[in-house]
């Protein structure tokens, strides 16, 4: 019999510990969710700032590249126009030189036919008295040889070719720079697309985490919904009943084992509740538990709060209301002195059970912790 009572007491203590641990676990989970939510918010903010910063940099780089392309296009046009102008000038000079060379000589056929030369070289400043139609002469008075014109033409052609080569080289350099800038623009565009994809992926993951966090917060709120003690209005009758319980040294509770488990599961989380060292088997699954006045206060406070916070019609409300009323009726009939206090919490007791008796050795003003 005693071993069975010890086993039941141990199981009840284990049940109370689990219930108390469940409350602590809920609080820890709630704090953990708050930390996770804060960390997600910080991570989202940092990611958004980093992506916006990178996008701003890439936009600046793209604008710079576009400006450089426009400048290079303008520079290329200016260079091409300048080199074309130089080439045109050289070609005009070459044409004039060829015309002057043809004017200074006549073909053999023209000499035989007596055809005069097409043009004559203008007289030098010192030959002002020379008659018109006389061929140009050198400084010594002799006519200028035809071979002297060939080196001048070759020099002109070399100059034109050199200018053309420089123009082609400049065009090649500008084309190479244009290709390099085009490749840089393509790389920046690809990088921007990659960053945009990562940003969208990060936003999607953050939205999923927030959705999961909201679901967990809702579920946790539904499980651990409770009313703050300060929000419950405490009537004077309840305060007076707690005073009566405080004056009791000990009280013996008679009830079914299931009812005792419900009572310990609810009141076990209260700091003033203490499990009795042993339970006495009364037969027919009923037990007798001797608790102190301090534990009885914890039981009354727990039942009162449960009755106030649980909707009517719920099983917990029915049990809390019945037990609170039974204890209240038993304590209201207690007077100083008399037999020990026995509180029967449910029906089904034998005829030998008395609902409430007062012990003669009761200590009315006992406030010590048991």
């Amino acid at each position: 019999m005693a071993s069975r009572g010890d086993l039941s007491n141990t199981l009840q203590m284990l049940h109370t510990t689990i219930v108390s641990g469940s409350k602590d676990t809920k609080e820890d989970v709630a704090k953990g969710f708050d930390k996770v939510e804060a960390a997600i918010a910080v991570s989202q903010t940092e990611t958004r700032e980093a992506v916006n910063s990178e996008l701003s940099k890439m936009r600046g780089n793209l604008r710079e590249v576009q400006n450089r392309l426009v400048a290079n296009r303008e520079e290329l046009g200016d260079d091409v126009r300048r080199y074309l102008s130089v080439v045109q000038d050289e070609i005009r000079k070459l044409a004039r030189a060829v015309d002057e060379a043809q004017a200074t000589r006549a073909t053999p056929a023209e000499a035989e036919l007596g055809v005069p030369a097409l043009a004559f070289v203008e007289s030098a400043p010192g030959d002002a008295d020379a008659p018109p139609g006389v061929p140009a002469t050198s400084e010594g008075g002799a006519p200028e040889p035809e071979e002297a014109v060939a080196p001048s033409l070759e020099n002109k052609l070399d100059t034109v070719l050199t200018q053309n080569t420089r123009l082609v080289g400049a065009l090649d350099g500008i084309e190479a720079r244009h290709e390099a800038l085009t490749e840089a623009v393509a790389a920046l565009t690809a990088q921007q697309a990659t960053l945009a994809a990562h940003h969208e992926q990060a936003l999607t993951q953050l939205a999923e985490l927030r959705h999961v966090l909201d679901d967990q917060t809702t579920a946790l709120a539904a499980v651990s919904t409770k009313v703050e003690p300060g929000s419950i209005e405490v009537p004077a009758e309840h305060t007076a009943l707690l005073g009566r319980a405080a004056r009791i040294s000990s009280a013996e509770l008679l009830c079914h084992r299931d009812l005792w488990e419900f009572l310990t599961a609810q009141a076990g989380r209260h700091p003033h509740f203490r499990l009795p060292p042993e339970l006495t088997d009364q037969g027919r699954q009923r037990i007798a538990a001797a608790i102190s006045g301090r534990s009885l206060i914890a039981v009354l406070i727990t039942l009162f709060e449960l009755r106030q916070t649980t909707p009517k019609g719920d099983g917990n409300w029915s049990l809390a209301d019945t037990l609170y009323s039974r204890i209240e009726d038993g304590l209201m009939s207690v007077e100083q002195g008399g037999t020990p206090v026995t509180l029967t919490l449910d029906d089904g007791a034998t005829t030998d059970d008395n609902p409430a008796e007062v012990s003669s050795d009761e200590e009315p003003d006992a406030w010590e912790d048991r």
Side-chain angles (χ1 to χ4, degrees), residues 8-285:
S8 177
N9 189 21
T10 302
L11 292 176
Q12 291 171 0
M13 293 177 64
L14 179 61
H15 183 277
T16 302
T17 303
I18 292 174
V19 170
S20 178
S22 175
K23 179 182 178 182
D24 296 337
T25 302
K26 291 177 182 178
E27 293 177 354
D28 293 339
V29 170
K31 294 179 181 179
F33 278 139
D34 293 338
K35 293 181 180 179
V36 170
E37 186 176 9
I40 290 175
V42 172
S43 177
Q44 185 177 11
T45 303
E46 293 178 351
T47 303
R48 186 183 297 107
E49 292 177 354
V51 171
N52 292 335
S53 177
E54 291 297 329
L55 290 177
S56 299
K57 291 180 181 179
M58 291 191 343
R59 292 192 190 97
N61 293 335
L62 287 176
R63 283 194 295 269
E64 183 180 356
V65 170
Q66 290 175 356
N67 294 334
R68 291 172 64 184
L69 286 176
V70 172
N72 288 333
R73 190 182 298 112
E74 295 176 355
E75 182 180 356
L76 174 62
D78 294 339
D79 292 340
V80 170
R81 285 191 293 271
R82 184 169 60 256
Y83 285 122
L84 286 178
S85 177
V86 172
V87 170
Q88 290 175 357
D89 292 341
E90 294 296 333
I91 291 176
R92 282 194 292 269
K93 292 179 181 179
L94 180 61
R96 285 196 298 271
V98 170
D99 292 339
E100 292 175 359
Q102 290 178 351
T104 57
R105 60 182 179 176
T107 59
E110 293 174 345
E112 293 177 357
L113 294 175
V115 179
L118 294 178
F120 293 91
V121 180
E122 297 180 354
S123 300
D127 299 333
D129 297 333
V134 178
T137 59
S138 60
E139 295 180 357
E144 186 177 352
E146 298 179 359
E147 290 76 2
V149 180
S152 177
L153 293 177
E154 291 179 358
N155 293 333
K156 297 291 184 180
L157 289 175
D158 291 339
T159 303
V160 171
L161 291 177
T162 303
Q163 296 290 339
N164 187 34
T165 303
R166 292 175 58 189
L167 176 61
V168 171
L171 291 176
D172 292 340
I174 294 175
E175 184 177 0
R177 291 172 61 187
H178 183 269
E179 292 179 355
L181 290 175
T182 304
E183 292 177 357
V185 170
L188 288 174
T189 305
Q191 185 179 6
Q192 183 179 11
T194 303
L195 287 176
H198 289 330
H199 182 252
E200 293 295 333
Q201 184 179 3
L203 291 179
T204 302
Q205 293 178 354
L206 289 174
E208 293 177 354
L209 288 175
R210 180 168 291 278
H211 181 67
V212 173
L213 182 61
D214 291 339
D215 292 342
Q216 294 292 339
T217 303
T218 302
L220 183 63
V223 172
S224 60
T225 301
K226 61 180 181 178
V227 179
E228 295 296 332
S231 63
I232 300 177
E233 184 178 357
V234 180
E237 293 80 4
H238 177 68
T239 304
L241 186 62
L242 294 180
R244 284 180 173 272
R247 290 195 297 270
I248 293 177
S249 174
S250 64
E252 186 176 35
L253 304 182
L254 297 177
C255 62
H256 194 275
R257 288 186 178 274
D258 291 344
L259 194 59
W260 173 251
E261 289 182 2
F262 169 78
L263 195 62
T264 55
Q266 298 297 327
R269 291 172 290 182
H270 198 281
H272 288 306
F273 184 78
R274 297 293 184 271
L275 282 171
E278 61 179 357
L279 301 176
T280 304
D281 189 4
Q282 300 294 316
R284 294 188 300 173
Q285 297 298 318

Side-chain angles (χ1 to χ4, degrees), residues 303 307 316-326:
L303 294 176
R307 189 171 62 173
N316 290 338
W317 182 89
S318 300
L319 289 172
D321 184 68
T322 300
L323 293 175
Y324 188 88
S325 299
R326 290 291 179 92

